[in-house]
Amino acid sequence: MAIPEPFLDELLDRTDIVDLVSESVRLTQKGRNYWGLCPFHSEKTPSFSVSADKRIFKCFGCGKGGGAINFVMELDNLSFREAVEVLAKRVGMEVPDSGPSAGMRERREKLLELNKQAARTFHKWLYTPEGAEGLAYLQKRGLSRSTLTNFGLGFAPNSWDALIQALADQGYDKRDLLDAGLAVNNKDGRIYDRFRNRVMFPIIDVRGNVIGFGGRVMDDSTPKYLNSPDTPVYNKSRNVFALNIAKTSKAGRVILTEGYMDTISLHQAGFDCAVASLGTSLTSEHAQLLARYFQEAIISYDGDGAGVAAAQRAIPLLEKAGLKVKVLRMQGAKDPDEFIKRFGREAFAKLLERSENQVDYRLAQIQKKYDLTDDGQKVAFLQEAAQLIASLSSAVEREIYGGHAAQTAGITPEAMAQEVKRAFSARLRKEKKRQERIDLSPASQLQPQARSLRYDNIRSARAEEGLVRLLLLDPSLAGQMGGITGEGFSSPLLGKVFDLLLRRANEGLSTQLSALSGHLSGEEMDHLAYVVSQPESLAHSQQSIRDYISVIQREALRRGAGQEDSLLLAAQRKYQEKKAYMEEKP
């Protein structure tokens, strides 16, 4: 493991998970646990639980779970190492620089420093003769000198190695630039600058680090916009342009745009809550990240077909993350930048206030598909609209938007209400049948949520969970496991965790689930948090261990039926003999 395990144990001992979570979630104690609304998904009834005894959190709605480190990773979109550093700073500890972790940390810090120096170099070039074309372009787009400075905009000269040469003078070699995504190599092995003859937009994360770049070309080359590839410090699906500035906005909402220039123009006009996704469609990770800072999102995409399609994809993602969603529809301009230049800031502010509820927006998009003067197409419109309205959970919403659709088509609200009721009943029947299938297959309810972790043998896995749970609750039980190891488990995850817990117990280290964060993925921690949250009595732990091991070994024999597994047979005979001897002792 990268960070010394004794350090992590001490860090977690000093971290009160209830206090940590309470900084972000309002918790209420009920029994031994604390409950609140999950910060990772939208909910009205608390399903998010924190256990002070087990030092874990678990959401029984979205499935997220783990210890203090995982909570910080999920909440602030941080890596394992970064989350450890946040917790260490919180309790006055310093993360040791030793072993492989030191090299990884130094490498990351070097890439971040390299990106910062590259951003400074690009910005400097913007005001040189080589950057004149880029400066003229940005000025033509109406950006002020202060805006150029605030966003750190720059220019990459039309040269194959200008940045390579400039950063070589600062001690960086070509390999560093390749790792940072600032250089590329061709099939002949030649290394050259990735960004050439482009206006440069630094991408800065919420902690103020320059993690990547976007570049807009000055000629007819393609692509028009080029973005950094994913690197050890940059992932386009987990970062949002200008969120480092927008997160401090007092507006209480976020404006989503399609690109850098729209976002920057909005900020210059005083709308400091604008952001843009980075060279990709909005993802669920983007939506969850935004939901940590805002309660409402206004989609302000271009009005063309691509913009409408992007808005339709973004709406359910944002709603699922818990954001109230509205959509801004512009007339007389193709994007926010052009609208503000043509009509002014006040006109755009009024437009924002008139943003459509996302349901009305989607109804309008459905309407565009049909000719409502034709009776057949009118019926088709109303049926599709009814499907959309039936998906709304609130009866009041269904009545209101059903009335909107009825008015659009020129029918009575009562008739539309009947159509919506029919569609809603059909959805309920479909959901009921789906739930009945689940209820009739109890084994499916015992499976991990993540498909990649699904059990091949439910009976064995349940017993394996029991052994893991006992070790998590009481490490002193490690010496009573009868010599069984995770190799005989049916679940690779549970086998790995069991062996890990045995080792840690034998070495005197913590067997709290939170101490395993560095060894397990997010999905694995989610499931293990569920496993440890299940009831398990320590009153008869020895008998439970014998029963669990018996099930595991019996199921292992069944899996190996038809094969001569003498080692397993011998192990089971040895265990049964030991069990009989122990039971005969007075």
Side-chain angles (χ1 to χ4, degrees):
M1 186 159 141
I3 301 175
E5 292 179 326
F7 172 85
L8 288 176
D9 284 357
E10 183 180 353
L11 172 64
L12 293 169
D13 281 342
R14 291 196 194 183
T15 301
D16 185 318
I17 193 169
V18 176
D19 288 345
L20 174 69
V21 174
S22 294
E23 294 172 5
S24 306
V25 180
R26 182 177 297 175
L27 297 175
T28 302
Q29 186 171 8
K30 295 180 181 179
R32 298 180 65 87
N33 292 345
Y34 295 79
W35 294 83
L37 297 176
C38 180
F40 307 121
H41 82 289
S42 177
E43 62 179 6
K44 297 180 180 179
T45 303
S47 62
F48 181 84
S49 172
V50 181
S51 169
D53 297 337
K54 299 174 182 177
R55 300 183 188 176
I56 64 167
F57 71 90
K58 179 63 184 177
C59 178
F60 295 93
C62 68
K64 293 289 185 185
I69 297 174
N70 296 88
F71 182 79
V72 175
M73 289 173 67
E74 289 289 340
L75 189 69
D76 294 329
N77 195 30
L78 300 179
S79 67
F80 174 79
R81 175 82 190 202
E82 290 169 334
V84 169
E85 290 173 350
V86 168
L87 289 177
K89 183 177 181 180
R90 185 175 177 273
V91 298
M93 296 177 68
E94 185 173 341
V95 182
D97 286 328
S98 62
S101 66
M104 293 172 59
R105 183 182 185 186
E106 289 173 4
R107 189 63 180 161
R108 177 180 172 82
E109 290 177 349
K110 186 174 185 179
L111 291 180
L112 290 174
E113 182 62 28
L114 171 57
N115 281 337
K116 182 166 71 174
Q117 295 305 323
R120 289 175 174 173
T121 302
F122 289 137
H123 187 65
K124 178 187 69 176
W125 278 335
L126 185 64
Y127 299 102
T128 65
E130 292 90 340
E133 185 180 3
L135 181 60
Y137 168 78
L138 293 172
Q139 290 174 336
K140 185 179 179 181
R141 296 296 299 265
L143 299 186
S144 67
R145 179 71 177 256
S146 63
T147 296
L148 300 183
T149 301
N150 290 341
F151 283 89
L153 303 189
F155 188 77
N158 193 13
S159 167
W160 289 102
D161 61 356
L163 188 64
I164 291 174
Q165 294 297 329
L167 294 180
D169 295 340
Q170 300 182 42
Y172 299 101
D173 59 30
K174 293 180 179 179
R175 176 57 55 184
D176 294 326
L177 272 75
L178 283 172
D179 289 348
L182 290 166
V184 293
N185 55 357
N186 60 20
K187 60 183 179 181
D188 298 324
R190 180 188 173 197
I191 299 176
Y192 53 90
D193 290 351
R194 175 182 295 275
F195 299 102
R196 304 178 307 280
N197 194 32
R198 291 177 182 270
V199 168
M200 298 300 296
F201 302 86
I203 299 166
I204 303 173
D205 67 14
V206 292
R207 292 171 297 283
N209 298 312
V210 180
I211 56 175
F213 296 88
R216 198 241 190 236
V217 74
M218 290 290 94
D219 53 29
D220 295 329
S221 302
T222 55
K224 182 177 179 181
Y225 280 93
L226 179 66
N227 295 288
S228 291
D230 283 354
T231 71
V233 298
Y234 172 64
N235 183 314
K236 63 179 176 291
S237 295
R238 301 183 69 181
N239 290 278
V240 178
F241 181 70
L243 184 57
N244 59 306
I245 301 174
K247 70 173 185 174
T248 62
S249 173
K250 305 300 183 184
R253 63 189 179 192
V254 62
I255 303 173
L256 297 176
T257 77
E258 285 195 77
Y260 305 121
M261 286 304 304
D262 283 336
T263 291
I264 294 172
S265 295
L266 284 173
H267 277 262
Q268 181 169 279
F271 303 99
D272 62 352
C273 57
V275 301
S277 54
L278 297 161
T280 182
S281 298
L282 192 82
T283 67
S284 59
E285 291 171 306
H286 288 147
Q288 291 168 7
L289 179 60
L290 293 174
R292 294 171 193 168
Y293 299 99
F294 308 99
Q295 295 180 335
E296 179 179 278
I298 298 179
I299 299 174
S300 182
Y301 291 168
D302 294 356
D304 57 15
V308 170
Q312 297 271 34
R313 290 192 299 269
I315 288 169
L317 295 176
L318 294 166
E319 284 210 311
K320 187 176 181 181
L323 288 156
K324 180 181 179 182
V325 185
K326 292 185 177 181
V327 183
L328 184 148
R329 287 206 291 171
M330 286 171 292
Q331 293 181 346
K334 64 180 178 63
D335 56 42
D337 181 34
E338 183 179 299
F339 187 94
I340 290 173
K341 286 183 174 60
R342 182 171 297 179
F343 303 108
R345 181 195 184 284
E346 294 304 320
F348 189 80
K350 291 179 181 178
L351 196 65
L352 280 177
E353 297 307 319
R354 296 198 303 269
S355 297
E356 287 183 304
N357 182 287
Q358 59 91 5
V359 182
D360 278 331
Y361 174 80
R362 294 163 80 181
L363 284 173
Q365 298 309 314
I366 294 174
Q367 179 188 343
K368 290 180 180 179
K369 296 160 56 176
Y370 299 99
D371 177 5
L372 299 188
T373 63
D374 179 275
D375 288 343
Q377 292 197 44
K378 182 185 293 186
V379 170
F381 160 71
L382 291 168
Q383 289 174 337
E384 186 172 347
Q387 291 295 329
L388 169 62
I389 296 167
S391 68
L392 303 175
S393 58
S394 166
V396 173
E397 286 184 313
R398 293 196 297 274
E399 181 175 346
I400 290 173
Y401 294 112
H404 292 185
Q407 185 177 13
T408 298
I411 66 169
T412 66
E414 291 76 17
M416 187 62 190
Q418 287 297 317
E419 189 66 28
V420 170
K421 183 178 180 180
R422 187 161 34 248
F424 185 70
S425 297
R427 289 177 67 90
L428 289 180
R429 287 194 299 272
K430 185 176 180 180
E431 177 60 27
K432 183 179 179 181
K433 287 181 179 179
R434 188 187 73 83
Q435 189 60 48
E436 285 175 349
R437 286 196 298 270
I438 293 175
D439 293 341
L440 291 173
S441 179
S444 66
Q445 300 179 53
L446 305 178
Q447 289 282 12
Q449 286 189 355
R451 289 190 173 275
S452 60
L453 305 180
R454 290 299 173 97
Y455 296 148
D456 292 331
N457 185 315
I458 292 290
R459 181 174 172 77
S460 181
R462 294 289 284 177
E464 293 158 18
E465 285 183 356
L467 289 185
V468 166
R469 191 161 43 243
L470 286 170
L471 278 180
L472 286 167
L473 295 174
D474 185 358
S476 68
L477 297 174
Q480 301 180 35
M481 292 296 167
I484 193 170
T485 69
E487 187 176 359
F489 283 25
S490 64
S491 164
L493 168 61
L494 296 176
K496 177 177 73 171
V497 172
F498 181 78
D499 287 343
L500 182 59
L501 291 172
L502 280 181
R503 176 183 67 78
R504 292 182 65 87
N506 291 331
E507 294 176 4
L509 296 170
S510 170
T511 59
Q512 295 277 352
L513 178 61
S514 55
L516 308 186
S517 298
H519 298 275
L520 304 175
S521 69
E523 286 185 338
E524 290 172 337
M525 284 296 289
D526 292 343
H527 181 57
L528 265 297
Y530 171 78
V531 170
V532 76
S533 69
Q534 299 305 297
E536 183 75 50
S537 173
L538 292 174
H540 306 287
S541 56
Q542 293 185 7
Q543 182 61 49
S544 297
I545 290 172
R546 290 194 290 269
D547 292 343
Y548 287 146
I549 290 177
S550 178
V551 171
I552 292 168
Q553 292 184 330
R554 188 163 58 249
E555 292 302 313
L557 285 171
R558 288 179 179 175
R559 291 197 305 274
Q563 301 177 15
E564 191 62 36
D565 197 341
S566 57
L567 289 177
L568 188 58
L569 286 168
Q572 187 183 44
R573 281 196 298 270
K574 183 178 179 180
Y575 177 75
Q576 295 294 347
E577 290 169 1
K578 183 177 179 181
K579 174 183 175 183
Y581 171 73
M582 294 298 293
E583 290 176 345
E584 289 174 3
K585 290 183 68 175

